[in-house]
Amino acid sequence: DSVASRGLGDVYKRQINKRFEELEVVSFTKPGDIVNPELHDALMMRTEDGKDENEILEVFEKGYRYKDKVIRHAKVVVNQTPS
């Protein structure tokens, strides 16, 4: 990867984010959130000590919402406590 291509990628991301803001499309989900089946697709379960049951450990893809409608579910890894 060249410096120029990384720079162009950053410019492209900023333009996309600005356009999403103008259209009222917002991303959601970050590690530490609790999984919600209406917003998240759990791709994997993993056990990590010190984390809550159903806590999101990792985000593979951000979710996006337009106003109150989910237009893409977030793809996440969720903590599962041993039973």
Side-chain angles (χ1 to χ4, degrees), residues 44-72:
M44 290 179 18
M45 302 294 280
R46 191 167 64 207
T47 299
E48 283 192 19
D49 293 334
K51 302 289 184 178
D52 293 330
E53 177 79 11
N54 296 323
E55 183 175 334
I56 294 172
L57 302 173
E58 188 177 342
V59 178
F60 284 124
E61 285 184 357
K62 290 181 184 178
Y64 290 93
R65 178 180 7 228
Y66 173 69
K67 298 188 180 179
D68 289 333
K69 182 159 177 66
V70 174
I71 56 177
R72 183 172 86 179

Side-chain angles (χ1 to χ4, degrees), residues 3-14:
V3 173
S5 67
R6 283 193 302 262
L8 287 174
D10 290 343
V11 169
Y12 178 71
K13 286 179 189 175
R14 281 195 302 270

Side-chain angles (χ1 to χ4, degrees), residues 11-28:
V11 169
Y12 178 71
K13 286 179 189 175
R14 281 195 302 270
Q15 289 175 340
I16 292 291
N17 288 336
K18 182 179 178 190
R19 186 66 179 138
F20 276 5
E21 276 183 37
E22 292 168 358
L23 295 172
E24 299 179 44
V25 173
V26 294
S27 65
F28 59 87

